[in-house]
Every structure is written in structure tokens, then in C-alpha cells.
């Protein structure tokens, strides 16, 4: 039986815990949606007495009810609603405001929020979100953490594609770093955590998926850099709270790189009021100290 035939008669489609699917391969979700409510192409193994006329007319998606549940809203999940064609319209229920997670940070630490330059008219949105973010990270953020007196830096990169790009840059620069991703073996994770705690590794590059699936704590973390705001705000507090457990007399800091298109993710971290300030302020660098 073809995929086009098996998904033609779906009347209720439920995507439960959509935010968890984002930590899997989101392309698989989009690919599955493309094959729902298509007109059957083969009559073999099909009981036409159970196939409704509006499906044969190619109107299956107009009568399908799509239910999406997620702990937060984001462009990827919102795009599903744009692809829905139900003739009765759609209803969206979401929280009006986000309180943020800064109150859950249990150690006083300098949290720096650095905004990228605005997008140039000649740049496409994709170039701005990928190439421009990479250039801002390499030339504006990392020089602060490349001095000899800076050690034990964790760089959190939500997207695996960006992670590979930054990892390749660190290799070209022959930096003293290690990587922890969702593809790391248990043996490799143990070795990296031990060497980092001993001070033998200066940088750790890690992904948000590694946090989501593993939830490991790292010892001796002095600085945390976020390549972009993570999808899950718990990822932010998870790494920032590690700074309170580190030994030494150095001043612990965090730096988060963001742009004006990161509003929904940033709001889940700092709250609605602070988010508007960070997005609309003429200043490009802000500091928040948790008490």
C-alpha cells in the first residue's frame, strides 16, 4: 500500500508535545504532513465504501481537524497552521505573556545580551540568520574569551548545522576544545567532562539537543556563551546555574547573541518586558545581574 493511499482518509491529526518533535528531525514531521489527505493513486487494497466523496474530490485537507499541542510557540510550529486548509478556519490558544526564567537562576552572575547588527537590504533572511550570526559570533563575541586568563568556557549552539560550522572553525584555528553533541558516545562524554573539570580543555562546544536528551552537569564552568537563544528556556538556566558551582576567584559571565528575529525565544528567557527593551533599545549590549 502506498504512503499516499494510507494517509488519504485521515480526519483528525494530532501533534502532541510539538516542542519535543523539534528536538527530533523536524523535516520528518513536515514530510509526513505532505502525504496526508492526498487523493489515492491506486485502487488496490482500498475499500471505496469507506472513502468519503470529499476525499476523492481532493478536499481532504479542507475537512481535516489538526490539533497541535506545545509548551511554547515558535515559527516552526506556527508554520503548520499556515499549511492547514480547514474550511472552518483555525483557533489558537496561547499564553499572552511570558514571565521568563531569570528568577530561577540561583547564583549572582553577569549576564550579557549582545544584539547583532540589523539585516542589510542586500541580505536574505537565511543569510542573516546563518552567515551574519556566524560572523558576529566569531568577530564580536569570541575575542572576549580568547585571552590567556579566560578558561573553562562552554559554548551552547542550539542548531546542529551551526554547531558543525563553529566546530570546523575551531579546528581551523587549532583551538583547545572538545565537543559534546547528541551523537557523542558515553565514553567520549565521560572523558570530555573529566578533562574539562581538570582544566585540560578550554572550550566545550555543545548542542541544545545534548542538553535535552542527556541533562549532564559540567564541573568547573567559568563562562557560558550562547550562540543564539535556545528553544527551551530551561537550557539557559541549566548552564547558567553551573557557574555557581565552579571554584576559583574569576568573575563568571554569560553572553547570549541574539537579533530582532529571536523575540519569541528571548521572551521565554527574560520575560516580555525585558524582551521589548532588548529588541527595541538603541543600545546593542545589555547586562542583567541576577540577585
Amino acid at each position: 500500500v502506498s504512503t499516499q493511499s494510507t494517509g488519504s482518509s485521515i480526519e483528525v491529526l494530532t501533534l502532541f508535545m510539538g516542542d519535543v518533535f523539534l528536538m527530533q528531525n523536524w523535516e520528518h514531521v513536515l514530510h509526513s504532513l505532505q502525504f496526508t489527505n492526498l487523493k489515492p493513486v491506486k485502487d488496490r487494497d482500498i475499500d471505496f465504501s469507506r472513502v468519503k466523496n470529499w476525499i476523492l474530490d481532493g478536499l481532504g485537507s479542507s475537512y481535516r481537524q489538526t490539533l497541535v499541542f506545545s509548551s511554547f510557540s515558535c515559527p516552526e510550529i506556527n508554520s503548520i497552521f499556515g499549511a492547514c486548509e480547514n474550511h472552518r478556519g483555525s483557533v489558537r490558544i496561547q499564553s499572552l505573556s511570558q514571565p521568563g526564567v531569570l528568577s530561577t537562576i540561583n547564583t549572582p552572575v553577569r549576564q550579557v545580551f549582545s544584539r547583532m547588527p540589523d539585516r542589510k537590504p542586500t541580505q536574505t533572511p537565511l543569510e542573516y540568520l546563518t552567515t551574519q550570526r556566524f560572523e558576529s559570533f566569531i568577530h564580536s563575541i569570541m575575542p572576549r574569551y580568547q585571552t590567556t586568563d579566560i578558561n573553562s568556557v562552554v559554548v551552547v549552539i542550539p542548531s546542529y548545522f551551526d554547531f558543525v560550522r563553529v566546530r570546523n572553525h575551531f579546528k581551523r584555528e587549532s583551538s583547545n576544545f572538545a565537543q559534546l553533541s547528541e551523537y557523542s558516545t558515553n565514553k567520549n562524554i565521560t572523558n570530555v567532562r573529566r578533562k574539562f573539570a581538570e582544566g585540560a580543555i578550554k572550550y566545550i562546544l555543545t548542542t541544545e539537543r545534548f542538553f535535552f536528551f542527556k541533562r549532564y552537569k559540567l564541573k568547573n564552568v567559568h563562562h557560558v556563551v550562547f550562540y543564539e537563544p535556545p528553544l527551551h528556556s530551561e537550557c539557559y538556566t541549566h548552564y547558567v546555574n553551573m557557574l555557581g558551582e565552579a571554584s576559583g576567584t574569576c568573575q563568571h559571565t554569560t553572553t547570549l547573541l541574539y537579533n530582532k528575529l529571536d523575540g519569541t525565544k528571548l521572551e521565554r528567557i527574560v520575560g516580555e518586558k525585558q524582551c521589548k527593551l532588548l529588541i527595541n533599545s538603541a543600545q546593542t549590549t545589555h547586562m542583567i545581574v541576577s540577585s
Side-chain angles (χ1 to χ4, degrees), residues 140-171:
S140 300
I141 304 300
M142 284 311 298
R144 310 174 192 174
Y145 297 94
Q146 291 175 335
T147 58
T148 56
D149 59 328
I150 296 292
N151 290 295
S152 303
V153 182
V154 176
V155 182
V156 183
I157 308 171
S159 168
Y160 186 77
F161 299 104
D162 292 327
F163 171 80
V164 172
R165 189 173 192 175
V166 174
R167 181 194 63 190
N168 293 342
H169 171 77
F170 272 62
K171 286 183 177 180

Side-chain angles (χ1 to χ4, degrees), residues 68-83:
V68 181
F69 301 90
S70 175
S71 61
F72 55 77
S73 175
C74 65
E76 291 84 355
I77 293 178
N78 292 340
S79 66
I80 294 180
F81 289 98

Side-chain angles (χ1 to χ4, degrees), residues 114-133:
S114 181
R115 193 175 71 222
M116 294 167 46
D118 294 339
R119 180 166 69 95
K120 299 177 182 178
T122 57
Q123 286 180 315
T124 65
L126 181 60
E127 291 174 340
Y128 179 67
L129 293 175
T130 56
T131 303
Q132 182 61 52
R133 187 186 296 275

